[in-house]
């Protein structure tokens, strides 16, 4: 008979339960005979595998819509038919947590597959979930993981999830995915009435219970709004299937709260606007719908959502909302792997340059030098920042002269990150990093006749925080820390490259690697760049796209990989061989691959010797999976482990099934 013991008594209405499997125990709880029948409209999920525990999740709604607390059982078994129960315990939930249930089960065996489900009254039962615990310390296990980001519900369908599930079912056991690393934008807090290219959305998001409407989009403002988004996204059968099939490890990016947010500030109109109540709602909804092990992790900063009373003081409001939930954390995966997850939003300083600043100086984009000065603040040039900025027709006071250097992680999290990777004894330190680390400069000074300068086209990602990239990479260099691999998202493109302490120091050596994954369904970045080039920046169109008889070519890929002069040359001549001779792009040293028209997902296979990465580009996610189930191409990479004093050597891409522009035809 099964063996269970409740390690902490539950409170109905509270949504976290602590349950322990004890080998040899024979106790199994039962529900009262009059317990209400339940429905499980968002399925089941599991999160943050530990060697001995896992967080299980469901949302259990009273059948018929009654607004009453409910009681249910969680069952755990080693068998998919639940013929032998390891655990059967009562848990409960209510409207207070929107009927979500978080049950942390420990006492499990490491590196072991389990099945789980939830049972309500009248034999109502959830779907069955499958999960897996992490290997124990000392186990040298090969790890297969999927990494994903940016799953905007309305911009496309979830064919990427469907393909991943189908491929995994067909794979040999040793090649099957063991966990999914979700790098953020699990939901989007806003719904645009049109896509970037003017076409209608693929799917509708229901109206918000509260929400704010603008002429172009509507956005969530209340707890009910954010909950509605999670419930809508989780209504998709493919996403539900993925959550039932694999344990997820999630961090967030901006859209779990607000586009391009920092701390509790939103930036819809450029300037930061404090909205602590909204941040609090976003945090609560994330905690309710994303199963993550937070309070249960010992000696880590991570903690569960803690309700806050927001007073009148603005600074305190901001702090309280940020402090309501802490999600940065480390998970250990045997000898080969530690997973270090960061929060790129809650502790970051405001953008180093306000929106429109470059334009006010007569510049089309923020220049590399302008960002370096504004970002480093008082620390620029070893503590000698310029009094004025060397741009524009006149002189402009340096707004950052007295400012502390900017930070994406915040000082406390940064120290934790550095301490964690320094102390890690795992061969690989996988950094779950919402934003791309790899360089993405647009060196327009290589077009001498334009007078334009070396520039950065997006300062919301790490490219806008070069000082902190330098701090992190210098630390890895100085302490001989190897095996740091960032898996990132956010940018709606596939990319791969190595990372240096600086993109402007010629002698900087690679010290880490970064693989950035395209969105599951969010519009590829090329769509937005092309729309912006057409509407607002026609002078730059030659660097972005080219209309040909075969269709539109993403010249932007050349701008990033081979440089602006190569892109310009290609656009004007159509001669890719000539453009190829002008690369690689010295401004983006280490950048090995971009695919900016992609939707899809990433796979990483990690053992003691190497990390193998596949970046999978789907055929077309704007239509339902059944209409376009295929893969357009796969880019494969190998990253052998490197020893102290050596530099990471990224090998690839090698293509399967074709190659994105401007890469050669398929090699396989
Ligand atoms: Fe995104």
């Amino acid at each position: 008979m099964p063996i269970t013991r409740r390690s902490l008594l539950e409170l109905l209405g509270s949504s976290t339960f602590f349950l322990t499997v004890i080998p040899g125990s024979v106790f199994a709880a039962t529900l009262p005979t009059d317990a209400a029948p339940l429905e499980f409209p968002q399925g089941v999920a599991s999160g943050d595998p530990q060697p001995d525990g896992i967080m299980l999740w469901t949302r259990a709604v009273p059948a018929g819509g009654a607004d009453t607390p409910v009681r249910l059982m969680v069952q755990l078994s080693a068998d998919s038919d639940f013929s032998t129960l390891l655990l059967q315990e009562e848990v409960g939930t209510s409207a207070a947590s929107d009927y979500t249930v978080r049950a942390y089960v420990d006492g499990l065996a490491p590196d072991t597959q389990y099945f789980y489900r939830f049972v309500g009254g009248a034999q109502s039962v959830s779907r069955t979930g499958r999960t897996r615990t992490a290997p124990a310390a000392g186990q040298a296990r090969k790890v297969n993981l999927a990494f994903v980001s940016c799953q905007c519900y309305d911009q496309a369908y979830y064919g990427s999830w469907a393909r991943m599930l189908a491929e995994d079912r067909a794979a040999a056991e040793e090649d099957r995915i063991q966990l999914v690393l979700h790098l953020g934008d699990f939901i989007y807090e806003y719904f645009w009435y049109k896509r970037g290219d003017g076409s209608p959305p693929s799917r509708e998001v229901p109206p918000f219970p509260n929400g704010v409407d603008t002429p172009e989009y509507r956005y969530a403002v209340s707890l009910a709004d954010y909950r509605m988004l999670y419930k809508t996204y989780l209504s998709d059968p493919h996403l539900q299937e993925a959550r039932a099939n694999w344990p997820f490890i999630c961090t967030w990016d901006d859209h779990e709260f607000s586009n391009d947010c920092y701390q509790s500030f939103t930036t819809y109109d450029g300037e930061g606007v404090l909205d602590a109540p909204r941040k609090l709602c976003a945090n609560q909804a994330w905690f309710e719908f994303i199963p993550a092990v937070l309070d249960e992790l010992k000696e880590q900063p991570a903690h569960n959502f803690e309700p806050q009373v927001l007073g009148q003081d603005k600074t305190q409001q901001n702090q309280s909302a940020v402090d309501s939930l802490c999600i940065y954390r480390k998970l250990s995966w045997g000898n080969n792997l530690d997973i270090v997850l960061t929060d790129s939003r809650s502790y970051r300083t405001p953008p180093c340059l306000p929106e429109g600043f470059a334009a006010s100086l007569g510049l089309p984009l923020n220049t590399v030098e302008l960002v370096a000065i504004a970002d480093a603040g008082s620390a620029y040039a070893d503590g000698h920042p310029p009094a004025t900025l060397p741009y524009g027709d006149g002189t402009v006071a340096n707004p950052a002269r007295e400012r502390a250097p900017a930070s994406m992680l915040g000082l406390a999290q940064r120290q934790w990150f550095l301490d964690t990777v320094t102390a890690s004894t795992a061969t690989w330190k996988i950094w779950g990093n919402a934003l791309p680390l790899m360089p993405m400069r647009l060196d327009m000074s290589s077009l001498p006749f334009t007078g334009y300068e070396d520039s950065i086209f997006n300062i919301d990602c790490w490219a806008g925080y070069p000082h902190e990239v330098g701090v992190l990479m210098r630390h890895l260099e100085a302490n001989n820390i190897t095996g740091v691999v960032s898996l990132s998202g956010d940018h709606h493109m596939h990319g791969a490259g190595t990372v240096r302490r600086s993109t402007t120091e010629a002698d900087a050596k690679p010290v880490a690697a970064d693989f950035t994954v395209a969105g599951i369904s969010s519009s590829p970045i090329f769509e937005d760049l092309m729309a912006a080039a057409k509407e607002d920046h026609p002078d730059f169109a030659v660097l972005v796209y080219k209309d040909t008889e075969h269709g539109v070519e993403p010249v932007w890929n050349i701008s990033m990989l081979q440089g602006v002069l190569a892109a310009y040359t290609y656009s004007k001549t159509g001669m890719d061989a000539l453009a190829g001779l002008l690369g690689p792009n010295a401004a983006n040293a280490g950048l090995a691959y971009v695919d900016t028209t992609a939707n899809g997902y990433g796979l990483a296979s990690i053992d003691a010797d190497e990390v193998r990465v596949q970046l999978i580009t789907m055929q077309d996610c704007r239509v339902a999976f059944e209409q376009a189930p295929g893969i357009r191409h796969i880019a494969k990479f190998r990253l052998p482990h490197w020893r102290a004093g050596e530099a990471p050597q990224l090998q690839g891409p090698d293509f399967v099934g074709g190659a994105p522009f401007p890469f050669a035809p398929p090699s396989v």
Side-chain angles (χ1 to χ4, degrees), residues 149-151 184-185 188 253-255 490-492 522:
S149 75
C150 297
Q151 54 186 28
D185 291 356
Y188 279 69
D253 192 19
D254 52 339
H255 289 289
D490 171 73
H491 245 47
H492 304 184
S522 301

Side-chain angles (χ1 to χ4, degrees), residues 634-649:
I634 302 173
K636 293 186 166 188
F637 303 87
R638 293 174 69 166
L639 181 66
H641 194 257
W642 65 98
R643 285 191 285 268
E646 297 176 344
Q649 303 284 338

Side-chain angles (χ1 to χ4, degrees), residues 363-425:
L363 296 166
L365 292 169
N366 291 310
T367 67
V368 168
E369 191 174 8
L370 193 57
V371 170
I373 294 170
D375 174 63
S378 59
Y380 186 78
D382 293 328
H384 299 92
T388 57
L389 297 175
Y391 294 96
D393 296 333
T395 54
V396 180
N398 174 6
R401 195 178 175 200
E402 319 250 304
R403 201 162 67 199
S407 170
M408 183 184 284
L409 299 178
L411 297 187
Q413 182 181 206
R414 183 165 91 198
Q415 195 58 51
W416 168 84
F417 178 83
L418 292 175
D419 291 346
T420 301
V421 296
T422 306
S424 172
T425 57

